[in-house]
Amino acid sequence: MSQSDGSLRERRRRQTQMDIHEAALRLARDHDFDKITVDMISVEAGVSRRTFSNYFPNKEEAVLDGPTALTPEIVEEFVALGPASPHQVLVDLTATMVRDLAVQAPQRQSMHAAFELAHAHFSVMAAMLARFDRLQRSVADAVAQRLGQNPNDDVPRLVAAVALTVMRVGLERWSADDSANRHDSPVPYVERSAALLQALFTP
């Protein structure tokens, strides 16, 4: 299979995933989330139940979006920066994730709806936290490579947790911002969260 064929296949997969995700959000908006089913979402998205299961394990995951692991390209770029102090690794990690966010920004309305569902339904919040946990483990592994430590050591886990908290706080603020001067991109919100964190730990 050529590289172009692989890219086309990946775009189709991503489109199908988004179709299912958006169908789940529409149903959650128009109906009580507790009453919607995987079958309803599948029909709304125009896919089979089997296809749904290839992309999401349940309806809670379907209303959420975003990565659960760093891409190999991001890991390679980040690790290639070489050994550094934990503070510098955190700075580099945040900058790397912000650059990726600028290229692959989520949809504001979809993210806002997902956060609202998470706050309203424990099962969705549990799914969201599980996704963050999987992503955090992936990030901690990359951080450990920079620090020459084990991914289960405290420092890589803490650096990963702090970086992802910066991302989550910024994204949630962006998704909920309905002011007249709001930014279309989540990047300024994440950068503001990073700056506030830096200020908290600067004497």
Side-chain angles (χ1 to χ4, degrees), residues 42-56:
S42 301
V43 170
E44 179 73 13
V47 301
S48 67
R49 171 70 179 261
R50 181 177 179 179
T51 297
F52 177 98
S53 299
N54 287 337
Y55 290 88
F56 299 102

Side-chain angles (χ1 to χ4, degrees), residues 102-114:
V103 176
Q104 302 187 63
Q107 295 183 354
R108 183 197 300 270
Q109 290 183 336
S110 294
M111 179 152 287
H112 181 59

